[in-house]
Amino acid sequence: MEISQRALEQFVAVADEEHIGRAATRLMMTQPPLTQAIQRLERAVGVELLERSRRGVRLTAAGRSFADDARQLLVAQRTAIERARRIADGAEGDLRVGYVAGLAHETVPRLLGLVHQEMSGVRVHLTQRSSAELVIAVRAGSLDIALARSPLADHGGVDLRALPDERLGVAVPATHRLATSSSVQLIELRDERFALLPDAWSELGEQVQSACRRAGFVPTVAARADGLPGLLGHVAAGGCVALVPTSVASTTAPGVSVVAVADVDEDLTLRTCLVTRSGTADPMVDRVVALLGSRPIT
């Protein structure tokens, strides 16, 4: 015989009150139906759960054990229902987020702060990849959302939403002649030695090369690194400069200054987008999109 949630609630009330009449009042029912329900429960369990007397009822040893377990079952059931509802509302669950390295200093912390504040039941799992790899992962369903650089060469099967743009600045050693400048023209760097990302590593590397060419020079490559921490390490060593997102200014390595570049050039603007899978309804993803305040890219 299957034991219903109602039967467990009735027995717990009797166990708490140790009196059928008071338990019936608590359950907003009359005493005879409650007495019959407890008798059916005892037959289903196969043991006596109550000792009955004129003064009331007392739990048997089996009854005390069953009452403890029944309370835990009822709590677990309520918790399961509440959790399912929270997940359906996007308030709880696991959110898989991918991002490009350049967004780790500002955009990713902003997203984490919003989720922590507004969606405290959500656990965020972070993965760093290139923009092209992020699109593939979102399309395949192995990531829920991604923070990438745009424009993207291939964005079939995903939806793109624009996030705030960012500018490139120049990272120089703290002892460099330009370290205390409020801004510089890119042409002022023509005689500098540059730390660059690998040509095929990311869109940022291509933008740096293109911006320098438009300013009238080809950067002299003194060092390479596969990410922003490596670029800043080369700069801190004193041997070169690097064009980096201005958001790294607050987290640069000791001995590095980030100076704004005054040139008005599209190659110095880093465009960021939020990538989600097309045609997929996910309340959690929808809430994150709303929190970030992004707008569709057509």
Side-chain angles (χ1 to χ4, degrees):
M1 176 181 175
E2 181 178 349
I3 298 175
S4 67
Q5 175 187 355
R6 180 62 175 168
L8 294 178
E9 291 171 342
Q10 290 169 334
F11 180 73
V12 167
V14 172
D16 291 343
E17 301 292 342
E18 291 193 340
H19 192 280
I20 297 291
R22 289 194 298 270
T25 300
R26 170 173 157 180
L27 294 166
M28 292 183 291
M29 60 186 301
T30 59
Q31 184 171 336
L34 179 59
T35 299
Q36 295 168 10
I38 298 302
Q39 291 171 344
R40 287 195 298 272
L41 178 64
E42 287 179 310
R43 288 196 295 271
V45 175
V47 298
E48 286 191 353
L49 301 174
L50 298 175
E51 294 177 354
R52 296 162 174 84
S53 68
R54 292 181 179 179
R55 291 180 298 177
V57 296
R58 294 179 59 186
L59 294 170
T60 64
R64 286 192 296 273
S65 175
F66 188 81
D68 289 340
D69 290 340
R71 291 186 185 96
Q72 293 182 33
L73 285 171
L74 290 170
V75 169
Q77 186 180 51
R78 286 193 296 270
T79 299
I81 292 170
E82 291 169 0
R83 181 176 295 120
R85 289 172 177 168
R86 286 196 300 270
I87 290 174
D89 291 336
E92 184 172 311
D94 294 282
L95 182 69
R96 301 161 300 171
V97 178
Y99 67 97
V100 295
L103 300 177
H105 304 276
E106 187 171 290
T107 305
V108 171
R110 176 172 170 253
L111 180 147
L112 294 176
L114 289 170
V115 171
H116 176 71
Q117 182 178 353
E118 303 292 338
M119 304 166 65
S120 59
V122 172
R123 296 170 296 275
V124 180
H125 305 271
L126 295 174
T127 300
Q128 180 182 317
R129 299 182 187 175
S130 70
S131 291
E133 291 172 327
L134 292 175
V135 170
I136 293 172
V138 171
R139 184 188 297 129
S142 58
L143 287 177
D144 298 307
I145 66 172
L147 304 168
R149 296 295 189 192
S150 62
L152 294 165
D154 175 18
H155 51 83
V158 299
D159 295 328
L160 306 180
R161 302 181 68 87
L163 294 172
D165 292 341
E166 188 176 1
R167 293 278 293 173
L168 284 177
V170 58
V172 300
T175 56
H176 193 277
R177 60 185 175 84
L178 298 174
T180 58
S181 301
S182 58
S183 64
V184 300
Q185 295 288 331
L186 201 55
I187 192 63
E188 296 180 66
L189 305 175
R190 63 182 178 275
D191 296 325
E192 299 290 341
R193 290 154 50 86
F194 279 73
L196 296 179
L197 296 168
D199 292 337
W201 187 81
S202 74
E203 303 80 4
L204 178 57
E206 296 174 4
Q207 284 186 267
V208 170
Q209 294 274 10
S210 179
C212 291
R213 287 194 297 269
R214 288 164 70 94
F217 69 98
V218 176
T220 300
V221 182
R224 291 191 181 273
D226 63 359
L228 291 175
L231 291 184
L232 296 173
H234 283 306
V235 174
C240 51
V241 302
L243 288 179
V244 297
T246 53
S247 60
V248 307
S250 61
T251 56
T252 52
V256 175
S257 296
V258 178
V259 183
V261 178
D263 301 54
V264 179
D265 189 317
E266 63 181 20
D267 288 317
L268 294 171
T269 300
L270 300 172
R271 292 183 169 82
T272 305
C273 63
L274 179 67
V275 185
T276 58
R277 191 178 182 187
S278 298
T280 301
D282 188 323
M284 191 186 308
V285 171
D286 292 342
R287 288 193 65 181
V288 173
V289 170
L291 286 174
L292 287 174
S294 54
R295 56 180 175 79
I297 297 176
T298 57

